[in-house]
Amino acid sequence: MTTQTHGFQTEVTKLLDLLANSLYSNKEVFLRELISNASDAIDKLHFLSLTDPELIKDDPVFKIRIRPDKETQTLTISDNGLGLTLDEANTHLGTIAKSGTQEFFKNLSGDAARDSQLIGQFGVGFYSAFIVADKVTVISRSAKASPEEGVRWSSEGNGTFESGFMPRNQRGTDVILHLKDSETKYLDEWVLREAITKYSDHISVPVELYVEKTIEPAEDATDEEKKNPKKEWVFEQINDAKALWTRNPKEVTEDEYKEFYKHLSNDYQDPLIWAHNKVEGEIEYTSLLYVPSHAPWDLFAADNKHGLKLFVQRVFIMDEAEQFLPRYLRFVKGLVDTNALPLNVSRELLQESAVTSKLKKALTKRVLNMLEKLSADKDKYQEFIKNFGQVLKEGPVEDYANRESVLSLLRFASTRNQGPETNVSLDDYIASMKEKQDKIYYLTASNYEAAISSPYLEALKKKGIEVLLLTERVDEWLMNQVFEYKEKRFVSVTSPDLELGDLEDEKEKEAQKEAQEGHKDLTERFKTALGSLVKEVRVSTRLVDSPACVVADNGRMFTPELKKIFEATGQKLPEETWILEINPNHELVKKAQSFDDATFPRWAQLIFNQALLADAGTLKDPQAYVKLVNDLLLGK
Ligand code: ADP
């Protein structure tokens, strides 16, 4: 046997360092990971054997076996699954392929306590073996390879591993853990029994533990034999090997659902909620869908891997089948098992199948219902919104059929709250609308502080009308695509016509008209001073505490937020045509008014620039503005 020494991918080395130093409160998770890998390897081979039965002919009964050996201080986890070729062992057991690994490492701070917290949230898979072992040996043979092409891989977890060919008669993998002196309790039958039960009850293949059993003495045994009965070592099945989703939901415990989630998702934390349904109708299927409690690192990456596990008649077919849920529900983990698809279904076939689109429709509804249910628990729902609210906002546009249901699941910050918490639903908004109010008012801004102090809110605040404050990037885009909810139109508080409609009573309308007439001189003076910078100057109906604001003529093509995004990418956008709205009751406007025609234009400039600043948070020429302010302050 020739062996070669290889260096681990840098990330693996870092991970192993972390594992060695992390204070794992729950070390036994290594068993979950290794049993989970073994079960995956069996699932994969089971699938291949559907079209190539030769692969498993010599050893047709799938199983996972766990064997403690006190003499050698080793614990061996064996499976007769797909196994590994030498190349596969070198890549799969030397690198981390999981998406988001880079992000994970970027998030590490070097602070051991914080980092070991983080690692608890990151599925470390195979490498978790090094939590309890100071040396790991893997002996494997791919089901497709000959006995000469067996593989031996081993590592002490310190930067390098060795690997090479080693003849092996049977297919599958043995993972041999040379336990640290401090972890020998994982050789104890009762410790193992408990952990294995916990981590394998939901697994569909038998998991067997090697135990010493007493042989019942025969009737005619001697007294001596009865007193000291013989013992023998046997494999005893520990789990009931029934796939969890095939069981009656009433008989599955919360803990079992949670453990199954961890097996399924590579997530170390409990899910927020799940839905397990067995459906017998036009299409027979079972689905088990989970909402995680935290967002994965790559939720917004273009190549984010997502989708459900697909089973056909309980046989695992593929991972990450994206065809069963729309993209905006890509955070959902889980599986679907159906009899309505053929066992040899491929991704391409899946794409075209009418069964797929029916299942997609049904599963989408299930997820939306599950979220609706979750929303009854305010705290949990806030968690959900914090993690996945932005993704959900893609829904009303992507999924026209469910637009209203998705909109009803969104939550926003609002002027009704004292702070930036995003917990107001559109139904809450409608329920507390003013008499005669028939529109939903909103404001988009780059952050909560900018939104809440925006002059555009003033008149609405005074009238006690609630305004939704939208401060996420996706909001701009969303509000450009949806126009109404339950027949109530969305109106931006920065639009030229606020359309307060019946919210303004006759008296106000009258007063408004009078104000326009009464301040005609003033507005004309501003218009003359600002010239082509503004299209029109008028008395504002929306201002109370601010001197002025700008509104875009004919509505906005681009909100300030979107404009910034475009400009950051170097694109030039057409200039806005502005209408300046002034508040004639404001001290600053009154003061400006008092100056003669030589000085007034600079005050007009000041007020106009302030309005632009409040609108977009930036000015094209900040230096000129600062000089203007300084000059006026110095009375120049
Ligand atoms: P993950 O299981 O999340 O992909 P792991 O680190 O647990 O990550 O495992 C890495 C890879 O090593 C697996 O994807 C699989 O290809 C391979 N592997 C691990 N354990 C086994 C096993 N018992 N049999 C076959 N392949 C395995």
Side-chain angles (χ1 to χ4, degrees):
M1 173 186 163
T2 50
T3 58
Q4 274 191 316
T5 304
H6 303 262
F8 282 118
Q9 180 195 24
T10 329
E11 280 82 3
V12 177
T13 307
K14 282 193 200 160
L15 181 65
L16 292 175
D17 278 351
L18 261 175
L19 281 178
N21 301 317
S22 286
L23 306 165
Y24 257 92
S25 54
N26 190 14
K27 293 190 175 188
E28 66 184 30
V29 291
F30 80 90
L31 266 172
R32 166 168 74 219
E33 297 302 317
L34 298 181
I35 293 174
S36 195
N37 281 349
S39 140
D40 287 349
I42 287 173
D43 277 351
K44 286 182 201 159
L45 181 59
H46 188 185
F47 173 65
L48 292 176
S49 70
L50 296 175
T51 45
D52 188 358
E54 287 290 310
L55 284 173
I56 58 167
K57 208 181 62 191
D58 57 335
D59 183 9
V61 183
F62 291 114
K63 57 185 168 300
I64 298 170
R65 289 185 147 177
I66 297 173
R67 181 178 185 145
D69 183 341
K70 288 193 170 133
E71 229 133 85
T72 53
Q73 204 168 308
T74 58
L75 180 67
T76 303
I77 293 100
S78 309
D79 67 72
N80 56 354
L82 184 57
L84 292 157
T85 64
L86 182 56
D87 277 352
E88 285 165 349
N90 287 340
T91 45
H92 297 328
L93 308 181
T95 58
I96 309 176
K98 216 165 291 149
S99 56
T101 309
Q102 298 287 341
E103 262 73 1
F104 172 73
F105 281 98
K106 265 191 236 137
N107 268 298
L108 295 178
S109 61
D111 167 357
R114 196 182 152 256
D115 291 350
S116 33
Q117 269 273 317
L118 264 181
I119 203 156
Q121 300 171 18
F122 184 80
V124 292
F126 169 74
Y127 304 102
S128 63
F130 290 96
I131 299 175
V132 293
D134 44 25
K135 180 177 175 195
V136 178
T137 308
V138 178
I139 315 270
S140 187
R141 196 192 103 201
S142 164
K144 297 173 187 167
S146 68
E148 292 74 54
E149 294 171 301
V151 174
R152 185 176 187 279
W153 176 106
S154 77
S155 173
E156 292 177 9
N158 47 11
T160 60
F161 63 88
E162 290 183 348
S163 65
F165 287 116
M166 187 178 102
R168 179 171 157 92
N169 280 329
Q170 75 270 35
R171 66 160 198 262
T173 306
D174 292 351
V175 178
I176 305 163
L177 311 179
H178 306 261
L179 295 176
K180 295 177 186 170
D181 291 339
S182 56
E183 309 301 339
T184 48
K185 70 168 193 222
Y186 293 109
L187 298 172
D188 181 85
E189 179 185 331
W190 297 99
V191 172
L192 286 170
R193 234 174 228 283
E194 203 183 314
I196 296 168
T197 306
K198 184 163 162 204
Y199 296 130
S200 66
D201 251 1
H202 48 73
I203 285 195
S204 46
V205 284
V207 177
E208 302 175 347
L209 177 64
Y210 200 53
V211 292
E212 195 175 24
K213 280 249 147 94
T214 310
I215 308 172
E216 270 309 309
E219 292 273 314
D220 58 355
T222 62
D223 281 355
E224 184 55 31
E225 281 169 342
K226 280 182 182 163
K227 233 165 92 195
N228 284 313
K230 277 205 189 117
K231 293 186 173 184
E232 63 174 349
W233 284 90
V234 289
F235 279 105
E236 180 192 332
Q237 185 171 331
I238 303 287
N239 64 342
D240 62 7
K242 199 161 176 233
L244 178 125
W245 68 93
T246 61
R247 291 162 55 189
N248 181 344
K250 287 199 188 94
E251 285 157 16
V252 184
T253 66
E254 285 222 352
D255 280 344
E256 284 177 314
Y257 278 121
K258 288 180 186 170
E259 274 310 323
F260 187 67
Y261 167 75
K262 291 173 189 172
H263 161 65
L264 198 78
S265 68
N266 268 322
D267 185 353
Y268 267 44
Q269 287 174 22
D270 286 340
L272 269 186
I273 191 172
W274 55 88
H276 181 190
N277 296 92
K278 296 184 161 206
V279 181
E280 287 165 24
E282 187 195 347
I283 295 179
E284 234 174 82
Y285 71 90
T286 299
S287 61
L288 176 51
L289 306 169
Y290 289 93
V291 177
S293 59
H294 62 107
W297 317 102
D298 60 344
L299 188 59
F300 290 99
D303 60 350
N304 157 278
K305 284 245 191 300
H306 57 100
L308 303 179
K309 254 188 205 284
L310 171 65
F311 291 79
V312 170
Q313 297 166 34
R314 281 167 297 292
V315 178
F316 166 76
I317 305 294
M318 67 177 82
D319 268 317
E320 287 151 358
E322 316 160 334
Q323 293 83 350
F324 295 104
L325 284 176
R327 229 187 109 70
Y328 74 96
L329 298 179
R330 61 184 174 273
F331 53 84
V332 173
K333 307 266 184 190
L335 64 85
V336 55
D337 185 348
T338 180
N339 295 347
L341 286 166
L343 276 165
N344 61 355
V345 68
S346 63
R347 279 187 200 265
E348 292 69 39
L349 269 174
L350 209 53
Q351 198 72 46
E352 291 154 16
S353 152
V355 173
T356 310
S357 59
K358 281 183 187 152
L359 281 173
K360 181 174 179 176
K361 210 168 143 188
L363 295 174
T364 302
K365 280 252 155 37
R366 296 233 170 267
V367 175
L368 296 178
N369 286 341
M370 170 164 63
L371 294 177
E372 173 71 40
K373 207 170 121 197
L374 182 67
S375 71
D377 182 330
K378 291 264 182 293
D379 290 341
K380 275 194 181 169
Y381 201 63
Q382 274 305 295
E383 265 315 288
F384 167 74
I385 288 290
K386 209 173 80 201
N387 282 288
F388 303 111
Q390 286 206 51
V391 188
L392 201 62
K393 282 177 176 171
E394 298 168 14
V397 181
E398 184 187 349
D399 186 359
Y400 194 81
N402 290 306
R403 201 192 47 208
E404 291 243 317
S405 337
V406 183
L407 280 171
S408 78
L409 290 168
L410 302 182
R411 296 292 180 272
F412 304 95
S414 157
T415 50
R416 102 164 46 185
N417 289 334
Q418 297 300 322
E421 60 273 24
T422 49
N423 57 5
V424 175
S425 72
L426 293 174
D427 289 310
D428 294 339
Y429 184 99
I430 290 175
S432 62
M433 281 193 347
K434 287 269 168 202
E435 213 183 317
K436 293 184 182 167
Q437 182 183 350
D438 59 355
K439 303 205 170 53
I440 299 172
Y441 295 99
Y442 71 91
L443 171 70
T444 52
S446 54
N447 57 55
Y448 175 77
E449 284 68 32
I452 194 66
S453 54
S454 166
Y456 299 97
L457 296 178
E458 291 171 4
L460 292 150
K461 259 192 216 156
K462 197 172 154 204
K463 284 185 192 296
I465 298 171
E466 179 174 8
V467 178
L468 299 176
L469 306 173
L470 314 187
T471 56
E472 283 173 344
R473 273 200 170 182
V474 57
D475 291 329
E476 289 285 355
W477 170 82
L478 175 66
M479 297 319 281
N480 273 319
Q481 315 265 344
V482 299
F483 305 104
E484 56 173 43
Y485 174 71
K486 296 194 174 160
E487 290 169 11
K488 308 269 186 291
R489 282 212 305 119
F490 291 111
V491 173
S492 162
V493 298
T494 64
S495 56
D497 180 4
L498 252 188
E499 303 182 72
L500 289 173
D502 289 341
L503 286 169
E504 281 176 306
D505 55 30
E506 282 310 312
K507 246 170 60 200
E508 274 177 313
K509 281 184 194 156
E510 203 49 46
Q512 173 60 23
K513 224 166 114 194
E514 267 172 37
Q516 294 295 357
E517 295 295 324
H519 295 287
K520 229 183 164 88
D521 291 351
L522 180 62
T523 51
E524 272 170 17
R525 215 176 163 203
F526 266 96
K527 172 69 183 117
T528 314
L530 295 171
S532 62
L533 291 173
V534 294
K535 182 180 171 242
E536 188 191 328
V537 180
R538 64 188 183 205
V539 171
S540 182
T541 54
R542 63 187 110 211
L543 297 178
V544 178
D545 301 317
S546 301
C549 68
V550 288
V551 292
D553 188 30
N554 299 325
R556 277 166 205 263
M557 276 179 295
F558 302 98
T559 52
E561 298 318 309
L562 216 54
K563 222 170 163 161
K564 274 181 222 158
I565 296 171
F566 274 111
E567 283 169 358
T569 66
Q571 300 189 54
K572 263 225 136 337
L573 297 179
E575 289 295 321
E576 243 24 284
T577 320
W578 294 116
I579 296 171
L580 177 66
E581 292 193 357
I582 53 171
N583 174 3
N585 300 321
H586 196 279
E587 287 302 322
L588 200 69
V589 176
K590 286 186 185 159
K591 178 155 183 154
Q593 171 76 317
S594 70
F595 288 104
D596 62 17
D597 285 349
T599 315
F600 177 78
R602 286 156 72 211
W603 282 84
Q605 278 288 353
L606 173 83
I607 290 169
F608 176 54
N609 274 297
Q610 282 190 352
L612 289 174
L613 202 50
D615 178 69
T618 53
L619 286 174
K620 247 189 283 172
D621 188 352
Q623 298 305 334
Y625 174 72
V626 170
K627 183 168 184 322
L628 175 69
V629 174
N630 290 348
D631 283 353
L632 292 176
L633 284 172
L634 295 171
K636 283 195 197 162

